Amino acid sequence: MRLILTTLIALGLGTMASAARADLAAEKDINAGLLAVAAADKIRRECGDLSGRFWAARSYVNQLKGLAAERGYTAAQIDAYVNDSAEQAKMRATRNAYFKSKGASNLDAASLCRLGQEEIKNRSRIGSFLKAK
Protein backbone atom coordinates (compact mmCIF):
# COMPACT_ATOMS: atom_id res chain seq x y z
CA MET A 1 0.00 0.00 0.00
CA ARG A 2 2.80 2.44 0.87
CA LEU A 3 4.56 1.66 -2.39
CA ILE A 4 1.40 2.47 -4.35
CA LEU A 5 0.86 5.70 -2.42
CA THR A 6 4.52 6.74 -2.86
CA THR A 7 4.35 5.98 -6.58
CA LEU A 8 1.15 7.99 -7.01
CA ILE A 9 2.62 10.95 -5.14
CA ALA A 10 5.81 10.80 -7.19
CA LEU A 11 3.85 10.65 -10.44
CA GLY A 12 1.71 13.58 -9.36
CA LEU A 13 4.75 15.68 -8.42
CA GLY A 14 6.44 14.82 -11.71
CA THR A 15 3.36 15.94 -13.63
CA MET A 16 3.20 19.17 -11.64
CA ALA A 17 6.90 19.87 -12.30
CA SER A 18 6.39 19.26 -16.03
CA ALA A 19 3.42 21.62 -16.05
CA ALA A 20 5.44 24.27 -14.22
CA ARG A 21 8.27 23.98 -16.76
CA ALA A 22 5.78 24.37 -19.58
CA ASP A 23 4.12 27.36 -17.95
CA LEU A 24 7.38 29.09 -17.04
CA ALA A 25 8.59 28.58 -20.60
CA ALA A 26 5.69 30.81 -21.70
CA GLU A 27 6.74 33.68 -19.40
CA LYS A 28 8.43 35.83 -22.06
CA ASP A 29 9.78 38.53 -19.75
CA ILE A 30 11.27 36.07 -17.29
CA ASN A 31 12.91 34.08 -20.08
CA ALA A 32 14.25 37.26 -21.70
CA GLY A 33 15.89 38.07 -18.37
CA LEU A 34 17.35 34.59 -18.09
CA LEU A 35 18.65 34.95 -21.65
CA ALA A 36 20.43 38.19 -20.74
CA VAL A 37 22.13 36.52 -17.78
CA ALA A 38 23.08 33.46 -19.85
CA ALA A 39 24.53 35.62 -22.64
CA ALA A 40 26.53 37.76 -20.23
CA ASP A 41 27.84 34.66 -18.48
CA LYS A 42 29.04 33.10 -21.74
CA ILE A 43 30.70 36.37 -22.81
CA ARG A 44 32.37 36.70 -19.39
CA ARG A 45 33.72 33.14 -19.53
CA GLU A 46 35.09 33.45 -23.07
CA CYS A 47 36.44 37.00 -23.07
CA GLY A 48 39.52 37.65 -20.96
CA ASP A 49 39.08 41.42 -21.33
CA LEU A 50 35.72 41.40 -19.55
CA SER A 51 34.55 40.21 -16.18
CA GLY A 52 31.11 39.72 -14.73
CA ARG A 53 29.16 41.82 -12.31
CA PHE A 54 28.26 38.81 -10.20
CA TRP A 55 26.19 40.60 -7.58
CA ALA A 56 24.22 42.54 -10.20
CA ALA A 57 23.43 39.32 -12.04
CA ARG A 58 22.56 37.47 -8.84
CA SER A 59 20.28 40.29 -7.70
CA TYR A 60 18.56 40.31 -11.08
CA VAL A 61 18.03 36.53 -11.02
CA ASN A 62 16.50 36.90 -7.55
CA GLN A 63 14.16 39.57 -8.97
CA LEU A 64 13.15 37.16 -11.73
CA LYS A 65 12.50 34.45 -9.14
CA GLY A 66 10.41 36.93 -7.15
CA LEU A 67 8.42 37.81 -10.26
CA ALA A 68 7.77 34.12 -10.94
CA ALA A 69 6.72 33.64 -7.31
CA GLU A 70 4.31 36.60 -7.60
CA ARG A 71 2.76 34.82 -10.56
CA GLY A 72 2.12 31.75 -8.44
CA TYR A 73 5.12 29.53 -9.11
CA THR A 74 6.65 27.76 -6.13
CA ALA A 75 10.38 27.74 -5.42
CA ALA A 76 10.45 24.04 -6.32
CA GLN A 77 8.77 24.74 -9.67
CA ILE A 78 11.20 27.56 -10.44
CA ASP A 79 14.22 25.42 -9.53
CA ALA A 80 12.88 22.51 -11.57
CA TYR A 81 12.52 24.81 -14.58
CA VAL A 82 15.97 26.40 -14.40
CA ASN A 83 17.68 23.09 -13.70
CA ASP A 84 15.88 21.15 -16.45
CA SER A 85 18.45 19.98 -19.01
CA ALA A 86 16.05 20.34 -21.95
CA GLU A 87 15.25 23.93 -20.96
CA GLN A 88 18.95 24.67 -20.53
CA ALA A 89 19.62 23.34 -24.03
CA LYS A 90 16.84 25.57 -25.41
CA MET A 91 18.33 28.57 -23.61
CA ARG A 92 21.79 27.84 -25.04
CA ALA A 93 20.30 27.61 -28.54
CA THR A 94 18.43 30.89 -28.04
CA ARG A 95 21.59 32.52 -26.65
CA ASN A 96 23.64 31.32 -29.62
CA ALA A 97 20.99 32.59 -32.04
CA TYR A 98 21.18 35.99 -30.30
CA PHE A 99 24.96 35.99 -30.70
CA LYS A 100 24.61 35.13 -34.39
CA SER A 101 22.06 37.93 -34.89
CA LYS A 102 24.66 40.34 -33.52
CA GLY A 103 27.47 39.02 -35.73
CA ALA A 104 29.15 36.96 -33.02
CA SER A 105 29.65 33.26 -32.46
CA ASN A 106 29.61 31.28 -29.25
CA LEU A 107 32.72 29.51 -30.63
CA ASP A 108 34.71 32.70 -31.30
CA ALA A 109 36.03 34.49 -28.22
CA ALA A 110 37.09 37.60 -30.17
CA SER A 111 33.57 38.10 -31.54
CA LEU A 112 32.12 37.63 -28.06
CA CYS A 113 34.54 40.24 -26.69
CA ARG A 114 33.42 42.71 -29.37
CA LEU A 115 29.78 41.96 -28.59
CA GLY A 116 30.39 42.34 -24.86
CA GLN A 117 32.05 45.73 -25.37
CA GLU A 118 29.12 46.77 -27.55
CA GLU A 119 26.60 45.64 -24.93
CA ILE A 120 28.44 47.62 -22.24
CA LYS A 121 28.63 50.70 -24.48
CA ASN A 122 24.90 50.47 -25.30
CA ARG A 123 24.05 49.99 -21.62
CA SER A 124 21.95 46.97 -22.46
CA ARG A 125 20.69 44.48 -19.92
CA ILE A 126 23.49 42.11 -20.96
CA GLY A 127 26.02 44.93 -20.68
CA SER A 128 24.85 45.69 -17.14
CA PHE A 129 26.21 42.29 -16.08
CA LEU A 130 29.66 42.91 -17.63
CA LYS A 131 32.59 45.20 -16.96
CA ALA A 132 35.94 45.83 -18.63
CA LYS A 133 38.98 44.65 -16.71
Side-chain angles (χ1 to χ4, degrees):
M1 184 63 149
R2 282 189 181 182
L3 179 60
I4 293 171
L5 182 59
T6 303
T7 303
L8 288 175
I9 291 171
L11 288 173
L13 290 176
T15 303
M16 287 173 28
S18 294
R21 283 193 295 274
D23 290 342
L24 270 168
E27 299 287 349
K28 292 186 188 298
D29 55 344
I30 292 173
N31 284 286
L34 292 173
L35 174 62
V37 173
D41 185 52
K42 176 67 173 177
I43 292 168
R44 170 198 64 82
R45 285 183 284 122
E46 297 297 324
C47 182
D49 295 339
L50 300 175
S51 62
R53 294 182 182 274
F54 176 78
W55 295 112
R58 185 175 175 99
S59 174
Y60 185 66
V61 167
N62 285 337
Q63 289 174 11
L64 293 174
K65 284 183 174 183
L67 184 59
E70 286 174 13
R71 294 179 184 173
Y73 297 100
T74 67
Q77 289 171 321
I78 295 165
D79 289 341
Y81 177 70
V82 253
N83 294 319
D84 183 75
S85 58
E87 291 300 331
Q88 290 174 349
K90 284 185 207 174
M91 183 60 69
R92 280 191 300 276
T94 304
R95 177 201 69 197
N96 294 343
Y98 175 79
F99 290 158
K100 186 175 181 180
S101 76
K102 296 294 186 175
S105 167
N106 66 305
L107 302 174
D108 179 21
S111 70
L112 291 176
C113 286
R114 283 190 300 275
L115 177 58
Q117 292 290 355
E118 220 175 273
E119 297 286 348
I120 292 169
K121 179 182 169 192
N122 293 335
R123 297 180 182 211
S124 70
R125 174 64 66 193
I126 294 169
S128 72
F129 303 132
L130 299 169
K131 63 181 173 183
K133 287 186 175 178

